[in-house]
C-alpha cells in the first residue's frame, strides 16, 4: 500500500508543479524523452542482465503472447461497445485506443517494482515489450485507417528505444554476457539513470493530468475504465491459467493489464486527428481510478 501512496505523492508533485507554474505542459516532452531514451533503456538493460537466465527466456517470452491475446479481447470488446453507442469513426478509433493501450511503462513499472521488486519488474519489462508492439502497431493502424497517412509501422516499432534495449539485452543473455564484464563506472552510471526513472515518470504523469478535460467526455471515460481497468485484468487472469507457468508471472500480467490508458493514445489522436477530447478525458479518469483498482487487484491476487 505504501508504494501507491508514494506514486500518488509523486503524481501530485508534477501536478502541483504545473499549477504553481514551476513547470508546464511544454516540459512534458523533455521529461518523456529523458525517460524513453535514457531512463527506461537503462532500467531494461540492468534488470534483464541481472535477473534473466537463458533457461528462463521461454517463460518470460510467454508474457508478450498474453499481451496480444488481451489486446485482441479489448479491441473486439471496445469496437462493439463503441458501435452500440453509435460513435463516429474518429470517436470509435479514439475509444479503441483508450480501452486497449495500457500505461505499462509509466504506471506499470513503478507499481510492479513497488509490489514485487526486481523479479516483478523484469517480468513487467517483457510484458511492456509486447505492449509497445501493440501500441505502435494499433495506434498507427487506426491512425492510418482514419487519415490515410503513410508510415512504416515495423520501422517505428524497431527503432523505439525500450524495444531496442530489450532485444539487445536479451541477445546478450543468450550469448552468456553479464554485468561483471562491464566497467563498474558504466554500471553505476546506468544505475543512476535507472533510479531517476520512476520519479521522472510520475512527475511527467502529473504534468499530463488535466481535470478540465473531464467535462468533454466523462461518460466515455467511465465506460473505457470498465473495459481497461476491470474486464482486461479479468480476461488476463483467466487466460494466464493456460499461458503462464507461475503465480508471479500471473500477478504481474494482471496488474500490467489493469494499468490506466496510455498517454501515447493522445499522441496518436493529435497526429491523426481522432477525438482528442475523449482521449484526454479518458486518460485522466483511468489514471485516477487505476490507483484504486490496482491496489485492490494486488490484495485480491495475494488471497487467491
Amino acid at each position: 500500500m505504501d508504494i501507491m501512496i508514494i506514486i500518488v505523492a509523486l503524481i501530485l508533485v508534477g501536478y502541483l508543479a504545473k499549477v504553481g507554474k514551476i513547470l508546464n505542459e511544454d516540459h512534458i516532452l523533455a521529461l518523456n524523452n529523458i525517460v524513453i531514451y535514457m531512463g527506461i533503456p537503462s532500467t531494461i538493460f540492468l534488470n534483464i542482465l541481472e535477473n534473466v537466465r537463458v533457461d528462463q527466456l521461454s517463460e518470460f517470452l510467454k508474457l508478450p503472447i498474453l499481451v496480444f491475446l488481451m489486446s485482441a479481447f479489448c479491441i473486439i470488446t471496445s469496437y462493439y461497445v463503441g458501435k452500440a453507442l453509435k460513435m463516429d469513426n474518429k470517436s470509435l478509433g479514439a475509444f479503441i485506443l483508450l480501452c486497449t493501450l495500457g500505461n505499462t511503462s509509466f504506471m506499470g513499472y513503478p507499481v510492479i517494482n513497488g509490489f514485487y521488486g526486481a523479479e516483478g519488474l523484469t517480468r513487467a519489462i517483457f510484458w511492456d515489450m509486447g505492449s509497445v508492439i501493440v501500441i505502435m502497431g494499433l495506434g498507427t493502424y487506426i491512425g492510418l485507417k482514419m487519415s490515410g497517412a503513410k508510415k512504416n509501422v515495423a520501422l517505428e516499432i524497431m527503432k523505439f528505444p525500450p524495444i531496442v534495449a530489450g532485444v539487445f539485452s536479451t541477445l546478450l543473455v543468450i550469448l552468456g554476457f553479464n554485468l561483471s564484464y562491464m566497467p563498474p563506472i558504466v554500471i553505476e552510471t546506468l544505475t543512476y539513470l535507472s533510479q531517476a526513472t520512476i520519479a521522472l515518470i510520475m512527475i511527467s504523469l502529473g504534468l499530463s493530468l488535466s481535470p478540465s478535460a473531464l467535462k468533454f467526455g466523462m461518460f466515455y471515460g467511465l465506460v473505457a475504465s470498465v473495459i481497461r481497468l476491470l474486464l482486461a485484468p479479468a480476461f488476463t487472469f483467466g487466460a494466464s491459467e493456460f499461458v503462464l507457468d507461475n503465480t508471479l508471472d500471473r500477478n504481474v500480467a494482471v496488474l500490467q493489464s489493469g494499468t490506466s490508458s496510455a498517454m501515447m493514445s493522445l499522441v496518436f489522436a493529435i497526429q491523426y486527428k481522432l477525438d482528442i477530447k475523449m482521449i484526454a478525458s479518458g486518460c485522466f479518469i483511468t489514471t485516477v481510478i487505476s490507483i484504486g483498482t490496482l491496489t485492490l487487484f494486488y490484495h485480491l491476487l495475494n488471497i487467491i
Side-chain angles (χ1 to χ4, degrees):
M1 186 64 184
D2 287 349
I3 184 59
M4 299 309 291
I5 295 172
I6 293 169
I7 285 172
V8 171
L10 287 171
I11 291 173
L12 280 174
V13 167
Y15 180 70
L16 293 175
K18 180 171 71 171
V19 172
K21 301 189 178 184
I22 299 169
L23 298 172
N24 59 56
E25 292 185 1
D26 292 336
H27 295 119
I28 294 173
L29 180 60
L31 287 175
N32 286 355
N33 282 343
I34 293 171
V35 168
I36 290 170
Y37 284 90
M38 291 177 269
I40 289 178
S42 298
T43 300
I44 290 171
F45 183 80
L46 291 173
N47 272 274
I48 289 180
L49 287 178
E50 283 179 359
N51 299 300
V52 179
R53 303 187 309 270
V54 174
D55 61 312
Q56 293 178 303
L57 283 176
S58 60
E59 172 193 338
F60 288 143
L61 290 174
K62 291 178 182 178
L63 289 162
I65 294 173
L66 191 51
V67 174
F68 302 143
L69 293 175
M70 182 273 295
S71 299
F73 167 78
C74 290
I75 291 168
I76 294 168
T77 303
S78 57
Y79 176 81
Y80 284 107
V81 170
K83 282 292 187 182
L85 293 173
K86 299 184 177 2
M87 295 181 185
D88 60 34
N89 283 342
K90 291 190 175 183
S91 294
L92 179 60
F95 186 68
I96 292 172
L97 293 182
L98 267 182
C99 295
T100 306
L101 308 187
N103 216 353
T104 53
S105 295
F106 279 61
M107 179 64 83
Y109 283 11
V111 170
I112 301 298
N113 187 58
F115 284 150
Y116 301 113
E119 286 192 10
L121 181 58
T122 302
R123 287 161 171 80
I125 286 168
F126 277 90
W127 178 278
D128 191 47
M129 289 169 67
S131 184
V132 166
I133 293 172
V134 172
I135 286 174
M136 302 303 291
L138 180 64
T140 305
Y141 173 77
I142 287 180
L144 295 177
K145 193 83 172 170
M146 301 303 169
S147 70
K150 293 185 178 179
K151 206 169 193 178
N152 189 321
V153 179
L155 181 61
E156 291 298 309
I157 292 170
M158 290 311 300
K159 71 180 185 181
F160 194 61
I163 286 288
V164 174
V167 172
F168 179 65
S169 303
T170 302
L171 288 175
L172 289 179
V173 170
I174 293 171
L175 294 172
F177 185 89
N178 62 65
L179 293 178
S180 65
Y181 299 156
M182 297 180 66
I185 191 169
V186 174
I187 296 174
E188 288 181 22
T189 301
L190 293 173
T191 300
Y192 279 121
L193 286 170
S194 177
Q195 289 172 343
T197 302
I198 288 176
L200 289 175
I201 284 173
M202 293 295 97
I203 291 170
S204 175
L205 194 54
L207 283 172
S208 303
L209 294 181
S210 178
S212 61
L214 283 174
K215 62 186 178 184
F216 297 119
M218 179 176 284
F219 172 73
Y220 295 123
L222 290 172
V223 175
S225 295
V226 172
I227 298 172
R228 175 75 235 154
L229 306 180
L230 298 177
L231 297 184
F235 174 87
T236 301
F237 179 82
S240 67
E241 298 297 319
F242 303 97
V243 179
L244 303 179
D245 297 323
N246 62 66
T247 301
L248 181 57
D249 288 356
R250 180 203 69 186
N251 291 356
V252 170
V254 170
L255 291 182
Q256 280 284 63
S257 66
T259 52
S260 56
S261 298
M263 294 297 176
M264 276 297 293
S265 301
L266 194 55
V267 174
F268 288 118
I270 293 169
Q271 184 173 359
Y272 295 116
K273 297 179 174 57
L274 303 178
D275 191 333
I276 297 171
K277 292 179 179 179
M278 178 193 288
I279 287 188
S281 175
C283 284
F284 177 82
I285 291 169
T286 58
T287 298
V288 172
I289 296 176
S290 70
I291 293 170
T293 54
L294 289 171
T295 304
L296 174 63
F297 285 137
Y298 170 71
H299 290 296
L300 287 176
L301 289 168
N302 285 341
I303 296 171
I304 298 172

